[in-house]
Amino acid sequence: MLIDFVGVLAENSCNLPRGARMSQPPAPHLPASPPALSEHDQEALHDLYVRGTPQNTLRAYERDLIYITAWKRARSSAADAAFAKTLQWPERQDMALKFILDHTRDLDKAPLNDPARHVAEALIEQGLRKSLACPAPSTLDRRIASWRAFHRMKNLESPFDAPLIKQARAKGRKAAAKAPAPKSAHPITREVLEAMLATCDGSLRGIRDRALLMLGWASGGRRRSEITRLMFEDISLKEFEAKGLIWLQLVESKTTLKGETPRLVLKGRAAQALVHWIEVAEITEGGLFRAISKSDRVLPRQLSPDAVYQIVRKRLSHAGYPKGFASPHGLRSGFLTQAALDGAPIQAAMRLSLHRSMMQAQKYYDDVDVAENPAADLLG
């Protein structure tokens, strides 16, 4: 039987307590199958969607559908109570327009009796919204993209494709436009990284943190989730003794699907630090980076992405940098920034960072080029 992800999740999403989320990942949704499809073909179609939908996308669908359903229930008037119990397929255009209007202005400046403000306050109380401030255009774009995807899954036209609504979205994007905040206040360049590594002592925790930071930086600026998902089985030590190389095979990344991620290489000090950690922690299988007890004993539990955040924050603090100086994304931005400073070709840096777009990686090179541009010194 095919699982109607959108329908099932929509029915349960608003019954969650404040701050709660679904305990299990959402089941992949499939479009309504043509009546002529046999049960065997339906199962094949289901399998196709399971294999073709990244887990990160499913988690985004889950979060967006929970938010959209909660917003609609709170936004609908008493006259629309029955209509608001579940999402409609296709959704009404007036509801789609209200969604855009409610999310393209600062509601803290709205009158206290403004319906949109009431809804936002209700969502904040449920832990689904952080503040009354206007959400980032990218956040709204993602939620609309999910809502449109839900319609495609049901083989229906989306209300967001209507000319008036498309124009309203474009105007709202311009009205709310602002310079995007960097994911890390500062890049963790080689100088910053060396200062962080200097705080790592010979304890198991110090050895682990050194290996984690060096791998995260030197392998191309890995994301937190990519670091913590690494298993011992994902690395190859066959060429370490002869060439000092370690090969990494990410199962998937934000920009690649399972089985499509190219191998990455780790060499030099970073490779040595990783091997040292593996040896002292006696890791022969399972998670590569693990929790360590207060008594400095390696535990079987893998680190979480939040643990990487705590490690970066702690090492920056020990190195004398102010609070909030950089986040784990600074490993990624720092790698590309350092590549630009050292004159490495952008294509070579992207080969390790796995950036999908040249434009995304180019901005780090542009910042360096502008700073070094002699035209910036014309005034002396």
Side-chain angles (χ1 to χ4, degrees), residues 213 250 332 376:
L213 291 170
L250 300 180
R332 189 164 176 79

Side-chain angles (χ1 to χ4, degrees), residues 203-229:
S203 66
L204 279 174
R205 183 171 279 103
I207 294 172
R208 180 203 63 188
D209 290 359
R210 181 183 296 110
L212 184 151
L213 291 170
M214 294 184 81
L215 179 146
W217 196 92
S219 64
R222 302 271 60 84
R223 301 176 179 87
R224 288 186 292 172
S225 59
E226 295 170 355
I227 295 173
T228 55
R229 281 203 301 260

